[in-house]
Amino acid sequence: MIGLIGIVLSLILLMYLAYKGFSVIILAPLLALFAVMWSGLSNELLGMYSQVFMTGLGGYIIKYFPLFLLGAVFGKLMDDSGSARTIANFFVDKLGHKRAMLSIVLSCAVLTYGGVSLFVVGFAVFPIAAALFKELDIPKRLIPAAIMLGALTFTMTALPGTPAIQNAIPMPFFNTDLYAAPGLGILASIFILVTGMWWLNRRIKTASSQQEGYGQHIESHPHLNSVGSTDPSLIIAMIPILVVIITNLVLTKFILPSLDTAYLATDKFGNTSLNSVIGLWAIICALVLACVTIIVLNWKQIANIKDSIQQGVSSSFLPIFNTASEVGYGSVIASLAGFIILRDFLVGVAPSNPLISEAIVINVLAGITGSASGGLSIALNTMGETYMNLATQFGISPELMHRVASMASGALDSLPHNGAVITIITLCGLTHKQSYYDMFIVAVIIPLFALSGVITLGTIFGSF
């Protein structure tokens, strides 16, 4: 019991100190060893750090570093070529100013579904949103919620085929691909988009009736007036996005399954199978091809291709080490006796339906760490095998387990201490007090309802 108390205290400290701005890369090993000491294993501290924590951290980097690296480079190239701005401006122009909120949400959705990172999307879309909302006298405080709805909800976890890391992490655990449970994912995406838009439009009407207006703000964002005349055409801007989507689909469903990959079952390649790696292989190839496509199509638009690539590479390091450190933390916690008590309790929450337990565990860990990928990684690295066995036992499709796992990571992760929440609010020059309420509704409450719906439908009808 003392060991369990140590785990709980460690988790609370991780959440609190991360919220206060301390680096997870430092916090994770320290608090993992804090839990080890509470378990009465002080003599094992160094071994836990070098053999358990670092092994968990290193294993995650080995598996997912290409996705972080290529995603960051792709996003930087999309930004520096002006392609992201072109796509955002297209939606604003075509949908008209009266549908300003929808145009911003769809701009973010298309960009993130095409593999562009949230940070690039934010920098590309915010200047357009700020100018548009100011012109129409829509409260600026609603911009963060619009960006969150488009970039960090359905295109991150629910929409089948999304290259987001939250959709990729479950693949090796359940032997699935990015298109797991497509019908349920599409239904959930429609629900989140429609309900989120209803909420935001309702908030606009309320603000208008109260004559709130855009508000008095000093616009200091460096990209506010950066929409340039040399930005590429819409066709050129969309081609890399389509390359990611189409290449990923073709490789996953047709080309890779037709290859002779029997060699993967040998010791040299870790005695694995194609099903365990096909999703990762497909998205890696798709992002490489998309990066090459951007460079070829925008050779003159990108001021310095070498610098753009280098900046993209550099920007990938901190995100993956943050998440990998949380995975290392989870590896240590999972090795403690107190965790067995916690694991058995969580699995027993709904003994006949592991989907419910899976959703609760991942949501709680994502909320504690303030990271969808971090919480999801910890949960599946510590309990993925358990859930796969339970899925087999109760006849639940691994695809359904994948979709629930992915969607569960994208709800309670968006609590106030979440890095993306803080980044978006800071980018917009606002505060939590001004903007977080609407962000909470569209990125936490609505996704939770969608997740509940997927679990219910999946339990009744199975995966589809």
Side-chain angles (χ1 to χ4, degrees), residues 111-131:
L111 288 168
T112 50
Y113 187 68
V116 181
S117 71
L118 163 73
F119 304 101
V120 172
V121 171
F123 276 96
V125 173
F126 169 67
I128 300 168

Side-chain angles (χ1 to χ4, degrees), residues 263-280:
Y263 65 88
L264 291 174
T266 63
D267 291 341
K268 180 178 179 180
F269 295 96
N271 298 301
T272 188
S273 66
L274 179 62
N275 286 337
S276 298
V277 297
I278 189 170
L280 292 172

Side-chain angles (χ1 to χ4, degrees), residues 394-427:
F394 289 100
I396 297 174
S397 166
E399 289 202 355
L400 180 56
M401 297 295 290
H402 173 130
R403 187 53 55 209
V404 168
S406 180
M407 289 185 62
S409 73
L412 292 184
D413 70 304
S414 296
L415 294 177
H417 61 294
N418 173 271
V421 169
I422 295 170
T423 297
I424 292 173
I425 289 176
T426 303
L427 170 67

Side-chain angles (χ1 to χ4, degrees), residues 78 83 86-87 91 110 233-243 245:
M78 285 289 289
S83 298
T86 295
I87 293 171
F91 282 102
V110 169
S233 67
L234 178 66
I235 294 177
I236 297 298
M238 282 297 298
I239 287 176
I241 298 285
L242 295 174
V243 165
I245 297 171

Side-chain angles (χ1 to χ4, degrees), residues 3-346:
L4 180 58
I5 293 173
I7 291 174
V8 173
L9 286 175
S10 174
L11 289 169
I12 291 172
L13 285 170
L14 179 64
M15 178 172 61
Y16 175 76
L17 294 174
Y19 176 68
K20 287 295 184 180
F22 288 90
S23 172
V24 172
I25 296 175
I26 298 297
L27 288 178
L30 291 178
L31 292 176
L33 297 181
F34 170 83
V36 171
M37 292 179 65
W38 269 76
S39 297
L41 301 174
S42 299
N43 62 315
E44 297 181 5
L45 285 179
L46 292 176
M48 282 289 192
Y49 176 73
S50 65
Q51 304 306 116
V52 181
F53 179 88
M54 288 305 299
T55 298
L57 180 150
Y60 185 87
I61 292 176
I62 288 171
K63 187 178 293 183
Y64 296 112
F65 178 64
L67 297 189
F68 281 83
L69 173 66
L70 294 170
V73 172
F74 176 68
K76 184 60 179 173
L77 291 172
M78 285 289 289
D79 187 19
D80 288 354
S81 67
S83 298
R85 287 191 299 271
T86 295
I87 293 171
N89 279 310
F90 167 78
F91 282 102
V92 171
D93 293 341
K94 292 300 178 183
L95 293 174
H97 287 193
K98 291 185 178 180
R99 295 187 179 88
M101 185 64 74
L102 180 60
S103 65
I104 297 304
V105 171
L106 289 182
S107 299
C108 294
V110 169
L111 288 168
T112 50
Y113 187 68
V116 181
S117 71
L118 163 73
F119 304 101
V120 172
V121 171
F123 276 96
V125 173
F126 169 67
I128 300 168
L132 190 58
F133 279 39
K134 188 171 186 179
E135 179 183 341
L136 299 177
D137 215 23
I138 298 172
K140 182 184 180 183
R141 61 180 173 80
L142 295 178
I143 294 178
I147 294 174
M148 286 284 284
L149 177 59
L152 285 177
T153 56
F154 61 98
T155 59
M156 184 178 81
T157 64
L159 203 58
T162 176
I165 189 67
Q166 293 80 5
N167 192 33
I169 289 172
M171 294 190 299
F173 296 97
F174 300 117
N175 292 328
T176 50
D177 56 44
L178 296 176
Y179 298 89
L184 289 169
I186 290 171
L187 288 176
S189 298
I190 293 172
F191 174 83
I192 294 171
L193 175 60
V194 171
T195 308
M197 285 305 307
W198 168 80
W199 174 263
L200 292 177
N201 285 326
R202 177 174 174 268
R203 297 287 283 171
I204 290 175
K205 290 180 180 178
T206 300
S208 178
S209 66
Q210 297 174 351
Q211 298 182 329
E212 178 182 345
Y214 181 78
Q216 299 297 319
H217 303 279
I218 299 175
E219 307 294 3
S220 59
H221 192 278
H223 294 274
L224 189 57
N225 298 307
S226 65
V227 180
S229 59
T230 59
D231 290 344
S233 67
L234 178 66
I235 294 177
I236 297 298
M238 282 297 298
I239 287 176
I241 298 285
L242 295 174
V243 165
V244 173
I245 297 171
I246 295 172
T247 303
N248 181 32
L249 178 62
V250 171
L251 286 172
T252 300
K253 300 298 184 182
F254 304 105
I255 296 178
L256 292 178
S258 69
L259 300 178
D260 179 9
T261 56
Y263 65 88
L264 291 174
T266 63
D267 291 341
K268 180 178 179 180
F269 295 96
N271 298 301
T272 188
S273 66
L274 179 62
N275 286 337
S276 298
V277 297
I278 189 170
L280 292 172
W281 285 5
I283 191 57
I284 288 171
C285 293
L287 287 172
V288 168
L289 186 57
C291 288
V292 173
T293 302
I294 298 176
I295 293 172
V296 171
L297 294 178
N298 298 278
W299 189 264
K300 294 182 179 180
Q301 271 81 9
I302 302 174
N304 190 317
I305 293 174
K306 183 182 72 174
D307 285 352
S308 294
I309 294 175
Q310 183 58 46
Q311 289 174 29
V313 170
S314 299
S315 67
S316 71
F317 295 149
L318 185 59
I320 191 168
F321 271 95
N322 277 334
T323 306
S325 294
E326 291 170 342
V327 172
Y329 169 86
S331 298
V332 173
I333 297 300
S335 71
L336 302 177
F339 180 78
I340 297 175
I341 301 173
L342 183 62
R343 181 197 65 192
D344 291 345
F345 169 76
L346 292 171

